[in-house]
Amino acid sequence: MPAAPFSAPLSRRKALTFLGTAALGGSLASCGSGPAPQSAPPSSPSPDDPNIVLTVHDPDSTPAPAVPQFASDFKLPPIQNGLVPVITRVATKQPVVFLTIDDGVTKRPEAIALLKQYGYPITMFLAKNFVQDNPDFFRDLMRAGDFIENHTVSHDTSMSTKAYSYQLAEIQGMQEYAKATFGRRPTLFRPPGGAYSNTMRKACADAGIRALIDWETKSNAGKMDYQYGNGLRPGDIVLMHFRPEFSSDLEAFRAAQLAAGLTVVNLERFIGAE
């Protein structure tokens, strides 16, 4: 069975659509949220005709380009022998890249504004102790369709060397917090600092995680760092952080993304881990 098309994020240009009918008496309808409007009558309609749809565009805007469609060619590996799979890069031939942002220490409004301006979908790997003072900041990003995933409770970078019970508590604690606070139990896990072990992979599986996500590329201190090559590749999982230098890190990523001709798409939807 062929994979279903995967849509890149739509442009955020504003359009106000007013639909008037005798039954609804001019109710406001959002674009694309209901059934297709009926065709206009053959004769030239009056602007006051309640059976036509009038769309008001921003006069300074230009027509939105066609949204690229991508069929996911990646299948999430199953949990085997009680261990979740480890993914550092998505094996795909599609011209896509994935932006992941970690921790949640710095919460500045410009981060939300920039991500919305560029229309980038993101995956947030958050640690409970960093975000619990202001979860609304991250809810504002979730309203754009982004996902919050598991980055432990305390962000202990030596966690992979510790006992199973400790690691399970760190992962389960964030699972429960995310569900209670953001309404969804994470399906993906990122280890603090990137180090992992089979003990961690087992703890992830036992906590309901489907995959451990690492990276081969990151944007840090206003520049891109690559473990392989000198540019972004299709399927790269890019690491960023909610830090004071967020704006410069995002600009570095954007320059690399545009130079590579890749489209930022949602990681969870592409790999089937929503």
Side-chain angles (χ1 to χ4, degrees), residues 91-247:
T92 179
K93 295 181 180 179
Q94 300 285 22
V96 298
V97 66
F98 309 97
L99 181 58
T100 65
I101 310 179
D102 282 15
D103 297 352
V105 177
T106 303
K107 309 167 187 69
R108 294 185 174 177
E110 60 263 29
I112 297 175
L114 283 171
L115 290 168
K116 290 183 177 180
Q117 175 185 338
Y118 297 144
Y120 286 156
I122 62 172
T123 296
M124 295 173 276
F125 288 96
L126 304 181
K128 174 184 175 181
N129 289 355
F130 294 156
V131 306
Q132 61 186 351
D133 63 326
N134 186 11
D136 285 343
F137 177 88
F138 304 99
R139 288 194 187 97
D140 285 344
L141 288 168
M142 287 185 71
R143 292 191 188 109
D146 299 305
F147 291 95
I148 287 174
E149 303 294 358
N150 194 317
H151 200 37
T152 75
V153 171
S154 68
H155 199 270
D156 181 355
T157 56
S158 64
M159 173 177 159
S160 65
T161 66
K162 296 186 176 179
Y164 167 82
S165 58
Y166 175 86
Q167 297 193 52
L168 181 63
E170 281 281 324
I171 298 168
Q172 281 185 329
M174 184 58 195
Q175 290 289 91
E176 294 165 3
Y177 175 77
K179 174 64 176 177
T181 306
F182 303 111
R184 174 183 175 271
R185 192 174 299 277
T187 60
L188 304 178
F189 175 79
R190 172 164 285 160
Y196 63 89
S197 62
N198 280 347
T199 300
M200 180 180 286
R201 294 172 65 191
K202 175 173 172 48
C204 283
D206 292 345
I209 296 292
R210 296 181 61 188
L212 186 152
I213 306 294
D214 255 353
W215 67 91
E216 296 178 0
T217 303
K218 64 180 178 179
S219 183
N220 185 57
K223 63 183 182 67
M224 298 296 294
D225 292 328
Y226 304 101
Q227 293 181 23
Y228 302 95
N230 56 6
L232 287 175
R233 305 161 297 167
D236 269 338
I237 299 171
V238 179
L239 168 69
M240 270 186 56
H241 293 85
F242 288 104
R243 291 175 174 169
E245 59 268 28
F246 184 93
S247 296

